[in-house]
Amino acid sequence: MIKKLTAIFVLFALFLRAGYVFAYTEKECLQLAKLAYENEFYDISLKYLSQFNNLYPQGELKPYGLILQGLNLRKLNKLPEAKKTFSESLADYPESPYVSQTYYLRGETNLSLNIFSEAEADFRNALNAGLAQETMPAAYQGLLTSQANQGKFFEALTILAEWEGRQPELKESSENRKMLINTAERSIAAALNARDFAKVHAISGIMLDRFPSDPSLDRISYYQANALLQEGNIEVARNDFLKLRSSPDPEIPPLASFRLADISLAQKDYAGAVRYYREAEEKSVDPEIKAAAKFQLGTLARKNQDYAGASAYFQKALTDSTQPALQEKALFELAGTSFLSGDYQKAAALYREFRSRFPQNESASIALLQEAFAFYNLKRYAEAQAAFQNLISAVTPYPHNLSGQAQYGLGLVFIALGKESQAVALWERYLTDKPFVSEQAAMVLLLTRSFIKGGRSAEAVPYLRRVTSAVDLEDETRAEAFLLLGLAYLKENKPSESLSALDSGLTLNPSPELRGGLMKNKADLLLAKGDYQQAIPLYQQLRQTLPEKRGEVLYGTAVCLQNLGQTPEAIPVYLEALMNLPANSPLAKEIKTTLAQIKKKM
């Protein structure tokens, strides 16, 4: 049978090519075209219709022929040509009995072409032109779809109510409602991504007002809560996310918990963040949500100095995620956690793996820098030096702060190798004429220590002022700079400036160790200036807080007492100082001499 049909079609084609035309009647041509269409021979159906148009250009069945032509073109996915055909029929035959059907078919074609405004007009015209009852549901659905895709959700819901009014049985079906909700979800998600929060709230409000208790709208509620969060309406968003934790949609509760964790983290409620990230990880069936939650739990564990726990979370996030962006972050943080825990061997290997797997990542150069510092901490100085020099001499310059950190690291290597002068020269060369940035602070502090030790105190002062005036730095760093500035001024015989610098450092509330150094130097300076009454209270505090310097502190106290004419009170303090000093130290010898002189005068 197939061979016979093939032979017939080949014969028909030969006749057409040779210029022969069968004498079919108008109805026969259309019937053959219709049969070919129904049997899915769309090209052949179009040839019959071409023959029909040639034989009967003014035939009374021309409107039907145009509909059939448009249907064939649609099946062949020639949508613009199909639309043109339907438009020709409507323009040339406005009184045809096929007008409503033609409007409907052009509406479907416009819908397929995503020309939603024209589709909406076509479906309206089809419904108003007496469309056949059996086609009306499809036309209503097309009208709803075209309106929804234009964001006309209020109009679409009005049409749905009209349709359900005409056919009450539709209220039992949720198909059209689902279509509207799904389209609304897509529109809201796109608006949220574009940060068009007004549009998010407008569409959400329409949908939630129309279906106030429908749990299938929970995703829309979730998007709206996200918009509120990004707008800064934290508490309103938080309350919405709390409600969504009990959504019957299994995808929504873990998403809501994740956002609650983000809010807690931003508010530094770390216990709350841990709770909600764990909840998100446990409830979600999406491996990427679970991996993202584990990553966040890793950052929180590391903040709590639980490096073993943090490493386990980062490793799980790295293993479970298939998203390159999360894999990059997890591997980088895993390497950083190993570094912080003191496992420099593992850190170096992980940083090298990161650079190998993600060479184009913006953090690849930071990974090389950290790998170099890991080598330095492992005392593998040759490898550290090579890595630092690689960063410094790169053909494509790295960011200024990264290059500075590499210079700092290379200087540390020189110092470790006993080449302090090379470190000083390197850092001095680098810092010359460069604007100060916070990453240079550690370099400046070490450089100025070398200056002060090497008798170049005056040169240390301008460098230290860079650090003390950088209010964005941590107080501890600035306090250390004030301590060094006080020492530099003291070396330059500027006691007033030295005292001012030490006082400035003390106002920053530094760590106990640094506070002890600032107070000890201030007390010694007051002693040198003869301000014994002011020095004594400082020494008395230091007696308890600076036990490793107790001998020196007691000596300073005794000297103050003696110079205030309180020699009897000074004697037991000198004796206690001797007890806390090495027997043959220069200070112990000086105390013995002083005691001998006191004894002689008694």
Side-chain angles (χ1 to χ4, degrees):
M1 181 63 186
I2 293 174
K3 290 182 179 180
K4 286 182 180 180
L5 282 172
T6 304
I8 290 170
F9 293 138
V10 170
L11 182 62
F12 172 73
L14 289 173
F15 267 102
L16 286 178
R17 288 177 187 170
Y20 296 103
V21 176
F22 292 109
Y24 293 126
T25 66
E26 187 176 358
K27 286 185 178 180
E28 286 174 336
C29 276
L30 290 181
Q31 188 176 5
L32 284 167
K34 184 172 180 290
L35 285 168
Y37 172 78
E38 291 172 346
N39 285 279
E40 301 181 9
F41 294 105
Y42 307 120
D43 287 325
I44 293 174
S45 178
L46 287 172
K47 289 176 181 177
Y48 279 125
L49 289 169
S50 178
Q51 181 183 359
F52 167 79
N53 290 330
N54 290 332
L55 291 173
Y56 309 104
Q58 303 300 323
E60 63 179 27
L61 295 177
K62 185 68 180 288
Y64 179 80
L66 288 170
I67 286 180
L68 195 54
Q69 181 180 331
L71 287 170
N72 277 294
L73 290 168
R74 278 177 55 83
K75 290 293 186 180
L76 292 169
N77 203 31
K78 297 180 178 181
L79 299 177
E81 294 93 329
K83 177 182 177 179
K84 183 178 179 182
T85 300
F86 294 134
S87 297
E88 180 186 337
S89 177
L90 290 167
D92 294 347
Y93 304 99
E95 303 300 325
S96 161
Y98 305 109
V99 166
S100 62
Q101 185 71 10
T102 307
Y103 271 126
Y104 166 73
L105 290 171
R106 191 173 69 174
E108 289 288 356
T109 306
N110 276 320
L111 203 59
S112 299
L113 289 167
N114 293 333
I115 307 174
F116 301 117
S117 60
E118 293 183 26
E120 178 187 2
D122 285 335
F123 289 126
R124 282 190 184 279
N125 287 328
L127 290 164
N128 293 333
L131 190 65
Q133 188 70 28
E134 63 271 16
T135 312
M136 286 182 69
Y140 268 115
Q141 193 165 40
L143 180 57
L144 289 174
T145 303
S146 59
Q147 289 177 325
N149 278 285
Q150 293 177 82
K152 296 181 176 181
F153 293 100
F154 182 80
E155 292 89 335
L157 288 167
T158 303
I159 291 296
L160 180 61
E162 175 189 324
W163 186 9
E164 291 177 344
R166 292 184 181 183
Q167 295 180 281
E169 68 275 8
L170 289 173
K171 292 183 178 179
E172 303 301 320
S173 170
S174 60
E175 181 180 344
N176 294 301
R177 180 182 292 189
K178 283 181 180 177
M179 181 277 296
L180 281 175
I181 291 172
N182 290 339
T183 308
E185 284 179 5
R186 291 195 299 273
S187 295
I188 294 169
L192 185 63
N193 190 53
R195 298 183 65 81
D196 186 350
F197 303 130
K199 187 174 182 180
V200 171
H201 295 310
I203 300 173
S204 300
I206 291 169
M207 300 303 293
L208 293 169
D209 285 346
R210 178 64 177 82
F211 308 115
S213 302
D214 192 333
S216 62
L217 267 71
D218 282 353
R219 188 171 293 273
I220 288 177
S221 297
Y222 171 74
Y223 289 146
Q224 187 177 40
N226 270 284
L228 289 166
L229 180 61
Q230 292 184 48
E231 288 175 305
N233 294 322
I234 309 297
E235 286 310 308
V236 179
R238 182 185 178 85
N239 289 333
D240 287 347
F241 288 131
L242 285 169
K243 293 173 188 174
L244 289 167
R245 287 171 67 219
S246 57
S247 169
D249 182 341
E251 294 183 3
I252 298 300
L255 291 173
S257 295
F258 203 103
R259 286 290 168 259
L260 286 166
D262 290 343
I263 292 171
S264 297
L265 183 59
Q267 295 177 338
K268 297 186 179 180
D269 174 12
Y270 302 124
V274 168
R275 173 193 170 194
Y276 286 122
Y277 282 131
R278 280 180 179 164
E279 190 173 279
E281 193 277 328
E282 290 167 2
K283 288 185 177 180
S284 182
V285 295
D286 183 338
E288 294 303 328
I289 297 294
K290 294 174 83 71
K294 286 170 184 170
F295 177 84
Q296 292 297 91
L297 286 167
T299 62
L300 287 162
R302 189 171 69 185
K303 182 179 285 292
N304 201 34
Q305 297 187 349
D306 177 11
Y307 298 126
S311 294
Y313 279 125
F314 289 137
Q315 184 64 60
K316 284 292 289 179
L318 177 64
T319 304
D320 295 350
S321 178
T322 59
Q323 297 299 314
L326 184 56
Q327 290 177 340
E328 289 173 8
K329 290 198 299 182
L331 181 55
F332 190 81
E333 298 303 331
L334 180 60
T337 304
S338 298
F339 191 98
L340 288 173
S341 70
D343 190 347
Y344 302 117
Q345 190 76 36
K346 184 177 181 181
L350 289 169
Y351 280 126
R352 191 179 301 112
E353 180 186 347
F354 180 88
R355 293 192 296 111
S356 174
R357 288 178 61 178
F358 308 110
Q360 302 305 315
N361 187 278
E362 61 184 11
S363 296
S365 55
I366 300 174
L368 177 57
L369 179 72
Q370 291 300 101
E371 186 179 339
F373 276 113
F375 288 145
Y376 168 77
N377 287 321
L378 289 166
K379 299 184 179 180
R380 291 160 59 175
Y381 299 127
E383 293 166 275
Q385 182 173 345
F388 287 130
Q389 287 176 331
N390 184 3
L391 284 163
I392 293 168
S393 61
V395 176
T396 303
Y398 290 111
H400 178 69
N401 61 334
L402 192 63
S403 176
Q405 290 179 65
Q407 298 269 358
Y408 172 63
L410 183 57
L412 291 178
V413 171
F414 286 147
I415 291 171
L417 293 172
K419 303 174 182 178
E420 185 173 340
S421 60
Q422 285 185 244
V424 170
L426 174 74
W427 292 339
E428 196 172 0
R429 218 171 26 247
Y430 174 75
L431 291 169
T432 302
D433 300 327
K434 278 191 173 61
F436 178 74
V437 293
S438 59
E439 286 79 5
Q440 296 171 3
M443 183 192 300
V444 169
L445 294 177
L446 278 177
L447 177 63
T448 52
R449 282 183 185 277
S450 293
F451 281 168
I452 294 168
K453 185 174 67 175
R456 299 170 62 186
S457 301
E459 294 175 62
V461 170
Y463 284 110
L464 289 166
R465 280 178 173 169
R466 291 187 188 185
V467 181
T468 58
S469 61
V471 294
D472 59 318
L473 284 173
E474 291 183 355
D475 285 353
E476 187 76 0
T477 302
R478 293 179 64 213
E480 184 177 352
F482 274 121
L483 172 60
L484 292 173
L485 186 59
L487 292 173
Y489 279 134
L490 191 59
K491 292 279 187 179
E492 292 298 302
N493 197 27
K494 295 181 178 179
S496 296
E497 289 89 339
S498 177
L499 191 59
S500 177
L502 295 170
D503 280 334
S504 295
L506 287 167
T507 64
L508 294 172
N509 194 28
S511 64
E513 181 180 357
L514 189 51
R515 171 172 286 277
L518 287 160
M519 287 180 65
K520 173 69 164 57
N521 280 279
K522 180 180 178 180
D524 289 347
L525 181 56
L526 290 170
L527 171 61
K529 288 178 66 179
D531 293 338
Y532 307 121
Q533 292 286 6
Q534 292 186 54
I536 288 174
L538 293 176
Y539 282 131
Q540 288 175 335
Q541 288 184 54
L542 290 167
R543 189 172 178 177
Q544 303 300 322
T545 59
L546 206 64
E548 68 277 10
K549 297 279 188 180
R550 181 168 290 177
E552 296 177 26
V553 168
L554 289 166
Y555 169 76
T557 307
V559 171
C560 288
L561 291 169
Q562 185 180 2
N563 281 284
L564 287 169
Q566 301 176 33
T567 303
E569 290 85 352
I571 293 172
V573 181
Y574 276 131
L575 292 171
E576 189 177 348
L578 273 177
M579 186 174 66
N580 285 277
L581 288 168
N584 294 318
S585 67
L587 194 55
K589 292 177 181 178
E590 184 177 338
I591 292 172
K592 289 176 183 177
T593 300
T594 301
L595 286 171
Q597 291 172 349
I598 292 172
K599 178 67 176 172
K600 190 174 181 180
K601 291 179 181 178
M602 290 178 70

